[in-house]
Amino acid sequence: MPEVIFNGPAGRLEGRYQPSKEKSAPIAIILHPHPQFGGTMNNQIVYQLFYMFQKRGFTTLRFNFRSIGRSQGEFDHGAGELSDAASALDWVQSLHPDSKSCWVAGYSFGAWIGMQLLMRRPEIEGFMSIAPQPNTYDFSFLAPCPSSGLIINGDADKVAPEKDVNGLVEKLKTQKGILITHKTVEGANHFFNGQVETLMGECEDYLDRRLNGELVPEPAAKRIR
């Protein structure tokens, strides 16, 4: 798993990158939790997501947002971190011009950044939002959400209470042409302490089903002339 340094908007960014053997393989980018609360690309959930995509033949990248590890720059409350994520995707795409599609997976703060990246990049065809925090961050930009994906949270999460996540899911589920899958891990807190295996089982199941052509949204109703 090569250690990489690439240019970001505020200086160099540090990452871990695993290219696929297939030239046209999809790309997966994994985004870590809040930089000011101990979030790094070596977070256990971020690490496991990286390997999940890698094992399924994706070209995979996880990286440290600005100010973390060997990544330069200062914390920027989300705006700069979104630019970091866009630069990271640009960097991988420059190495893999034959790759036509992309997935983004984010955990906590990373889920918020990932959903914003999704809005800006039409090539992102799938997402995983793990323990998103609609009680802390504004998700109103998802209007409409352009891609199908998985939202997963714990029912004992005090950082992102279940009712707030349910509200976000219900709002997204009213949109036509996409399919939002929502899973709740029973007894799990925001960090999925003792439940990471269960969390990853749900993520793997979802990804495998998507790759097998399952979980297809119903087509939007045609107008009667």
Side-chain angles (χ1 to χ4, degrees), residues 2-7 11-16 70-71 91:
E3 215 173 287
V4 290
I5 297 283
F6 54 94
N7 289 328
R12 293 191 303 273
L13 293 171
E14 172 191 21
R16 299 289 182 276
R70 291 163 64 201
S71 291
W91 179 77

Side-chain angles (χ1 to χ4, degrees), residues 132-171:
Q133 295 169 259
N135 55 314
T136 304
Y137 304 117
D138 182 6
F139 281 83
S140 63
F141 56 82
L142 292 168
C145 177
S147 302
S148 298
L150 172 70
I151 295 176
I152 185 163
N153 60 294
D155 66 2
D157 189 336
K158 291 185 169 63
V159 178
E162 189 178 22
K163 68 175 175 57
D164 295 292
V165 178
N166 289 345
L168 173 63
V169 169
E170 289 314 310
K171 190 177 151 196

Side-chain angles (χ1 to χ4, degrees), residues 44-209:
Q44 189 190 5
I45 291 169
V46 171
Y47 182 85
Q48 299 260 13
L49 288 165
F50 180 93
Y51 276 103
M52 175 186 76
F53 281 104
Q54 188 208 326
K55 276 192 276 189
R56 284 156 180 81
F58 283 70
T59 283
T60 311
L61 175 73
R62 68 187 205 268
F63 70 96
N64 279 328
F65 287 125
R66 57 185 62 199
S67 81
I68 297 299
R70 291 163 64 201
S71 291
Q72 296 176 321
E74 292 177 15
F75 177 67
D76 193 35
H77 306 280
E81 287 72 21
L82 175 57
S83 298
D84 293 345
S87 290
L89 183 52
D90 288 342
W91 179 77
V92 184
Q93 287 176 329
S94 71
L95 297 176
H96 298 271
D98 295 326
S99 180
K100 298 292 179 277
S101 69
C102 177
W103 279 62
V104 61
Y107 168 35
S108 191
F109 173 85
W112 180 53
I113 301 297
M115 296 305 273
Q116 292 177 77
L117 186 65
L118 177 76
M119 292 298 293
R120 293 171 172 228
R121 305 297 280 258
E123 67 272 29
I124 298 179
E125 61 176 28
F127 71 85
M128 290 187 185
S129 271
I130 293 153
Q133 295 169 259
N135 55 314
T136 304
Y137 304 117
D138 182 6
F139 281 83
S140 63
F141 56 82
L142 292 168
C145 177
S147 302
S148 298
L150 172 70
I151 295 176
I152 185 163
N153 60 294
D155 66 2
D157 189 336
K158 291 185 169 63
V159 178
E162 189 178 22
K163 68 175 175 57
D164 295 292
V165 178
N166 289 345
L168 173 63
V169 169
E170 289 314 310
K171 190 177 151 196
L172 295 180
K173 279 191 169 178
T174 62
Q175 296 181 16
K176 303 283 185 253
I178 61 164
L179 185 63
I180 301 297
T181 301
H182 181 213
K183 297 285 184 180
T184 306
V185 179
E186 220 173 291
N189 62 15
H190 193 65
F191 308 100
F192 295 89
N193 290 340
Q195 300 269 31
V196 172
E197 211 172 293
T198 308
L199 167 70
M200 291 310 303
E202 292 285 7
C203 292
E204 287 168 6
D205 179 64
Y206 177 78
L207 183 56
D208 289 339
R209 291 178 71 189

